[in-house]
Amino acid sequence: MEKLATAFQKFDEYNKADDNIFVWEGVEYPQEYFLALQLYQWVLKLDPNATEALLLASRSQHIGRWEIARETYPDGRVGYLTWRKDLSFFHAKKAKEILTEVGYEEEEIAKVERIILKQRIKTDPEVQTMENALCLVFLQFQYEDFHPKYAPEKVINILKKSLLKMDAHGHQFALKLTYSPQGLAYIQEALKLLAE
């Protein structure tokens, strides 16, 4: 438990360097620090018996995300997907550096990397829990600010892709969150398309 606490402390210290500010209920936080804490909490809700590797991954899934800006990649889907892929490897590398420094064994670090890189999603329960948690963080903390900025078709398409990555367990939690009437309508439309 001591190593886990030390790793959390180092992950949190790193993410507190994020200059991007996230405001929640009137309080300002470094964005990636706040979102990492929320991801960790969602993982615990989804799997109260989560392994140490999953807990470590939850706190470092997007570590240092601000260091690779989306604007440094071309516009469009290909540029976006390349950025996301490069980010994943960056997060896994940073997590590995910190976990090695803390004294974790290679085998445990490899498990954390596998989860961060989302390898074997839909077949690995830990990776699926992480995907559920990531989608739930978006829905709870970012979705209501996100959807008014885009055309309904784009919002519904993004929601459909997100909900598709989740499983039935994740959907149960997603449907219990509080949404604006418009936000809920988009989610219901996306779920309807998934069912077709």
Side-chain angles (χ1 to χ4, degrees):
M1 289 305 290
E2 188 179 331
K3 274 198 296 189
L4 183 68
T6 303
F8 280 177
Q9 182 184 358
K10 289 184 177 295
F11 291 151
D12 291 350
E13 282 172 2
Y14 199 102
N15 277 330
K16 282 178 182 177
D18 188 0
D19 288 335
N20 299 297
I21 299 300
F22 192 94
V23 181
W24 184 253
E25 296 181 340
V27 182
E28 294 186 350
Y29 304 87
Q31 181 164 289
E32 291 310 327
Y33 168 66
F34 176 82
L35 295 175
L37 293 182
Q38 303 312 320
L39 186 61
Y40 169 74
Q41 291 299 330
W42 266 116
V43 163
L44 286 177
K45 283 180 201 169
L46 290 160
D47 183 3
N49 300 310
T51 64
E52 191 160 341
L54 181 52
L55 295 177
L56 288 165
S58 74
R59 206 70 159 248
S60 59
Q61 183 72 29
H62 288 158
I63 190 166
R65 187 184 181 104
W66 67 93
E67 294 184 48
I68 302 179
R70 170 67 182 97
E71 294 74 31
T72 59
Y73 287 77
D75 290 338
R77 182 164 172 75
V78 173
Y80 173 76
L81 292 175
T82 305
W83 171 67
R84 288 293 300 269
K85 186 176 181 182
D86 289 352
L87 269 177
S88 294
F89 287 115
F90 173 76
H91 300 320
K93 181 172 176 282
K94 281 290 169 198
K96 181 177 183 176
E97 287 171 4
I98 290 171
L99 293 174
T100 301
E101 182 188 331
V102 172
Y104 276 93
E105 299 293 330
E106 273 294 322
E107 187 180 347
E108 190 73 1
I109 294 172
K111 289 178 188 174
V112 176
E113 288 181 291
R114 187 193 74 240
I115 298 167
I116 290 175
L117 294 170
K118 293 195 246 183
Q119 294 171 346
R120 301 197 299 272
I121 188 171
K122 295 292 184 186
T123 59
D124 184 320
E126 291 187 306
V127 177
Q128 187 59 58
T129 296
M130 178 61 77
E131 191 60 56
N132 284 343
L134 285 163
C135 292
L136 287 162
V137 167
F138 167 71
L139 290 170
Q140 183 177 8
F141 298 102
Q142 298 167 295
Y143 172 59
E144 288 295 343
D145 283 336
F146 168 83
H147 74 73
K149 299 173 185 173
Y150 299 95
E153 297 77 19
K154 181 167 184 174
V155 174
I156 292 164
N157 189 43
I158 288 169
L159 283 171
K160 183 183 169 187
K161 288 177 182 174
S162 294
L163 293 166
L164 194 59
K165 291 178 188 173
M166 300 173 81
D167 61 11
H169 185 54
H171 287 163
Q172 288 175 5
F173 285 90
L175 292 170
K176 290 176 185 171
L177 293 173
T178 303
Y179 304 103
S180 65
Q182 185 61 72
L184 180 60
Y186 288 148
I187 288 172
Q188 288 170 336
E189 184 61 29
L191 284 169
K192 195 165 74 175
L193 290 172
L194 275 184
E196 289 177 356

